[in-house]
Amino acid sequence: RGRQRFQNMTADGFQAAIAFYQQALALDPRYARAHAGLAEVFGYLALGYSTERPALEMARLAEQSARDALRCDPGLGEAHCALAVSIAHQYDLGQVETHLRRAIELQPSTAAACSSYAYTRLCRGMLDEAIVQADRAVEGDPAGMMIQVDCAAILAYAGGLARAREVMDRLRLSFVPPGAAVPGWMYVLGLIHQLEGRFDEAIDVLERTTAADILHTLPLGILGYCYAMAGKPANANESLDHLAKLPAERHAVQFSRAVVLAGLNQGGRALDALERGYAEK
């Protein structure tokens, strides 16, 4: 039940998942998979989906739960995957990759580990390998919307825009009822439009997803960038104002500001925002 609620990718779903995992651990404190599940939820909250508690605090909770899982079962792949996500803010990509490779070695079909490993390949500019790992993740969990959406984003960033659209079209048929506002799916669709230079279409989708849900700041950043590129600087500045009103500890606020400022051709201010985000982790 905890995993099912986590897959909803909503604030209420995350809190319900935490409660279910904690109930499981009350019954069996050495149940490694419940510790790993808790670490996964905290890890996602640390990566930008928490609206109430600082990202670094959530990352520490995630790391603690992941290490608890590994103490109970050192051979649990999903625990290594959760630990990798929980330490991402430390900027030690080598350590992150070590745990993800171990997760894949222990459980080759673990889609979350393949997806996260694809992101590390993307970060290193190894685009072909990023696409290979994203494809493995898609095959490993064809019914997991979070995995599919993540992999569509990876494919798009790696230059596989046509493949990314195929994944998104399949998701639309399976998971997105006509007219429904599904923030994660809509965000990545907007991202694909943006990367293709179709800024007006990106704006239409991103306006709807940010109206429905602003759990994460990145859609606001990309929306502001698209406004700027579409010749709508006043709207782009409204996006900056929106970001400024969010709590300072929200994940990626400074990165999202930098994206908008880059679109407005304010490189100096964008670099300042990136430096601040780096310092704040």
Coordinates of all heavy atoms in Angstrom, one line a residue, residues 76-112:
L76 N 20.2 -5.9 -0.6 CA 19.0 -5.3 -1.2 C 19.3 -4.2 -2.2 O 19.7 -3.1 -1.8 CB 18.1 -4.8 -0.1 CG 16.7 -4.3 -0.5 CD1 15.9 -5.5 -1.1 CD2 16.0 -3.7 0.7
G77 N 19.1 -4.5 -3.5 CA 19.4 -3.5 -4.5 C 18.7 -2.2 -4.4 O 19.3 -1.1 -4.5
E78 N 17.4 -2.2 -4.0 CA 16.7 -1.0 -3.9 C 17.2 -0.1 -2.8 O 17.0 1.1 -2.8 CB 15.2 -1.2 -3.7 CG 14.8 -2.1 -2.6 CD 13.5 -2.8 -2.8 OE1 13.5 -3.8 -3.6 OE2 12.5 -2.4 -2.2
A79 N 17.8 -0.7 -1.8 CA 18.4 0.1 -0.7 C 19.7 0.8 -1.2 O 19.9 2.0 -0.9 CB 18.8 -0.8 0.5
H80 N 20.5 0.2 -2.0 CA 21.6 0.9 -2.6 C 21.2 2.0 -3.5 O 21.8 3.1 -3.6 CB 22.5 -0.1 -3.4 CG 23.3 -1.0 -2.6 ND1 24.5 -0.6 -2.1 CD2 23.1 -2.3 -2.2 CE1 25.0 -1.6 -1.4 NE2 24.2 -2.6 -1.4
C81 N 20.1 1.8 -4.3 CA 19.5 2.8 -5.2 C 19.0 4.0 -4.3 O 19.3 5.2 -4.7 CB 18.4 2.2 -6.0 SG 17.6 3.4 -7.1
A82 N 18.3 3.7 -3.2 CA 17.8 4.8 -2.4 C 19.0 5.6 -1.8 O 18.9 6.8 -1.6 CB 16.9 4.2 -1.3
L83 N 20.0 4.9 -1.4 CA 21.2 5.6 -0.8 C 21.8 6.5 -1.8 O 22.2 7.6 -1.5 CB 22.2 4.5 -0.3 CG 23.5 5.1 0.4 CD1 23.1 6.0 1.6 CD2 24.4 4.0 0.9
A84 N 21.9 6.0 -3.0 CA 22.5 6.8 -4.1 C 21.8 8.1 -4.3 O 22.4 9.2 -4.4 CB 22.6 6.1 -5.4
V85 N 20.5 8.1 -4.3 CA 19.6 9.3 -4.5 C 19.8 10.2 -3.2 O 19.9 11.4 -3.4 CB 18.2 8.9 -4.7 CG1 17.3 10.2 -4.6 CG2 18.0 8.2 -6.0
S86 N 19.9 9.6 -2.0 CA 19.9 10.4 -0.8 C 21.2 11.2 -0.7 O 21.3 12.2 0.0 CB 19.8 9.5 0.4 OG 20.9 8.7 0.7
I87 N 22.3 10.7 -1.3 CA 23.6 11.4 -1.2 C 23.9 12.3 -2.4 O 25.0 12.8 -2.5 CB 24.8 10.4 -0.9 CG1 25.0 9.5 -2.0 CG2 24.5 9.7 0.4 CD1 26.2 8.6 -1.9
A88 N 23.0 12.4 -3.3 CA 23.3 13.2 -4.5 C 23.6 14.6 -4.2 O 24.5 15.2 -4.9 CB 22.0 13.1 -5.5
H89 N 23.1 15.2 -3.2 CA 23.3 16.6 -2.8 C 24.8 16.8 -2.4 O 25.2 18.0 -2.3 CB 22.4 17.1 -1.7 CG 22.7 16.4 -0.4 ND1 22.2 15.1 -0.1 CD2 23.3 16.9 0.7 CE1 22.6 14.8 1.1 NE2 23.3 15.8 1.6
Q90 N 25.5 15.7 -2.1 CA 26.9 15.9 -1.7 C 27.9 16.1 -2.9 O 29.0 16.3 -2.7 CB 27.3 14.6 -0.9 CG 26.5 14.4 0.4 CD 26.9 13.1 1.1 OE1 27.8 12.4 0.7 NE2 26.1 12.8 2.1
Y91 N 27.3 16.0 -4.1 CA 28.1 16.2 -5.3 C 29.2 15.3 -5.5 O 30.3 15.6 -6.1 CB 28.6 17.7 -5.4 CG 27.5 18.7 -5.4 CD1 27.7 19.9 -4.7 CD2 26.3 18.5 -6.0 CE1 26.7 20.9 -4.6 CE2 25.3 19.5 -5.9 CZ 25.5 20.7 -5.3 OH 24.5 21.6 -5.2
D92 N 29.1 14.1 -5.0 CA 30.1 13.0 -5.2 C 29.6 12.0 -6.2 O 29.0 11.0 -5.8 CB 30.5 12.4 -3.8 CG 31.6 11.4 -4.0 OD1 32.0 11.0 -5.1 OD2 32.2 11.0 -2.9
L93 N 29.7 12.3 -7.5 CA 29.0 11.5 -8.5 C 29.6 10.1 -8.5 O 28.9 9.1 -8.8 CB 29.2 12.1 -9.8 CG 28.2 11.6 -11.0 CD1 26.8 11.7 -10.5 CD2 28.5 12.5 -12.2
G94 N 30.9 9.9 -8.1 CA 31.5 8.6 -8.1 C 30.8 7.7 -7.1 O 30.6 6.5 -7.4
Q95 N 30.5 8.3 -5.9 CA 29.9 7.5 -4.8 C 28.4 7.1 -5.3 O 28.0 6.0 -5.1 CB 29.8 8.3 -3.5 CG 31.0 8.1 -2.6 CD 31.1 6.7 -2.0 OE1 31.8 5.8 -2.5 NE2 30.3 6.4 -1.0
V96 N 27.8 8.1 -5.9 CA 26.4 7.8 -6.3 C 26.4 6.7 -7.3 O 25.6 5.7 -7.3 CB 25.8 9.1 -7.0 CG1 24.5 8.8 -7.7 CG2 25.6 10.2 -5.9
E97 N 27.3 6.7 -8.3 CA 27.4 5.7 -9.3 C 27.8 4.3 -8.7 O 27.3 3.3 -9.2 CB 28.4 6.1 -10.4 CG 28.0 7.3 -11.2 CD 29.1 7.9 -12.1 OE1 30.3 7.8 -11.6 OE2 28.8 8.4 -13.2
T98 N 28.6 4.3 -7.7 CA 29.0 3.0 -7.1 C 27.8 2.3 -6.6 O 27.6 1.1 -6.8 CB 30.0 3.3 -6.0 OG1 31.3 3.8 -6.6 CG2 30.4 2.0 -5.2
H99 N 26.9 3.1 -5.8 CA 25.8 2.4 -5.3 C 24.7 2.0 -6.3 O 24.1 1.0 -6.2 CB 25.1 3.4 -4.2 CG 25.9 3.5 -3.0 ND1 26.0 2.4 -2.1 CD2 26.7 4.4 -2.4 CE1 26.7 2.7 -1.0 NE2 27.2 4.0 -1.2
L100 N 24.6 2.9 -7.4 CA 23.7 2.5 -8.5 C 24.1 1.3 -9.2 O 23.3 0.4 -9.5 CB 23.5 3.7 -9.4 CG 22.7 4.9 -8.8 CD1 22.8 6.1 -9.8 CD2 21.3 4.5 -8.5
R101 N 25.4 1.2 -9.5 CA 25.9 0.0 -10.2 C 25.7 -1.3 -9.3 O 25.4 -2.3 -9.8 CB 27.4 0.1 -10.5 CG 27.7 1.0 -11.7 CD 29.1 0.9 -12.2 NE 30.1 1.5 -11.3 CZ 30.5 2.7 -11.3 NH1 30.1 3.5 -12.3 NH2 31.4 3.2 -10.4
R102 N 25.9 -1.1 -8.0 CA 25.7 -2.2 -7.1 C 24.2 -2.6 -7.1 O 23.9 -3.8 -7.1 CB 26.1 -1.9 -5.7 CG 26.0 -3.0 -4.6 CD 26.8 -4.2 -5.0 NE 26.7 -5.2 -3.9 CZ 26.9 -6.5 -4.2 NH1 27.1 -7.0 -5.4 NH2 26.8 -7.4 -3.2
A103 N 23.3 -1.6 -7.1 CA 21.9 -1.9 -7.1 C 21.5 -2.7 -8.4 O 20.8 -3.7 -8.3 CB 21.1 -0.6 -7.1
I104 N 22.1 -2.3 -9.5 CA 21.8 -3.0 -10.8 C 22.4 -4.4 -10.8 O 21.8 -5.3 -11.3 CB 22.3 -2.1 -12.0 CG1 21.5 -0.8 -12.1 CG2 22.2 -2.9 -13.3 CD1 22.1 0.2 -13.0
E105 N 23.6 -4.5 -10.2 CA 24.2 -5.8 -10.2 C 23.4 -6.8 -9.3 O 23.2 -8.0 -9.7 CB 25.6 -5.7 -9.5 CG 26.4 -7.0 -9.3 CD 27.7 -6.8 -8.5 OE1 28.2 -5.6 -8.6 OE2 28.1 -7.7 -7.9
L106 N 22.8 -6.3 -8.2 CA 22.0 -7.2 -7.3 C 20.6 -7.4 -7.9 O 20.1 -8.5 -7.8 CB 21.9 -6.5 -6.0 CG 23.2 -6.5 -5.1 CD1 23.0 -5.5 -4.0 CD2 23.5 -7.8 -4.6
Q107 N 20.1 -6.4 -8.5 CA 18.7 -6.6 -9.1 C 18.7 -5.9 -10.5 O 18.3 -4.7 -10.6 CB 17.7 -5.9 -8.1 CG 17.5 -6.6 -6.8 CD 16.7 -5.8 -5.8 OE1 17.2 -5.3 -4.8 NE2 15.4 -5.7 -6.1
P108 N 19.1 -6.6 -11.5 CA 19.2 -6.0 -12.8 C 18.0 -5.4 -13.4 O 18.0 -4.5 -14.2 CB 19.7 -7.2 -13.7 CG 20.3 -8.2 -12.7 CD 19.6 -8.0 -11.4
S109 N 16.8 -5.9 -12.9 CA 15.6 -5.4 -13.4 C 15.0 -4.2 -12.7 O 13.9 -3.7 -12.9 CB 14.5 -6.5 -13.4 OG 14.2 -6.9 -12.1
T110 N 15.8 -3.6 -11.7 CA 15.3 -2.5 -10.9 C 15.3 -1.2 -11.8 O 16.4 -0.6 -12.0 CB 16.2 -2.3 -9.7 OG1 16.3 -3.5 -8.9 CG2 15.7 -1.2 -8.8
A111 N 14.1 -0.8 -12.2 CA 14.0 0.3 -13.1 C 14.5 1.6 -12.5 O 15.1 2.4 -13.2 CB 12.5 0.4 -13.6
A112 N 14.2 1.8 -11.2 CA 14.6 3.1 -10.6 C 16.1 3.2 -10.6 O 16.6 4.3 -10.8 CB 14.1 3.1 -9.2

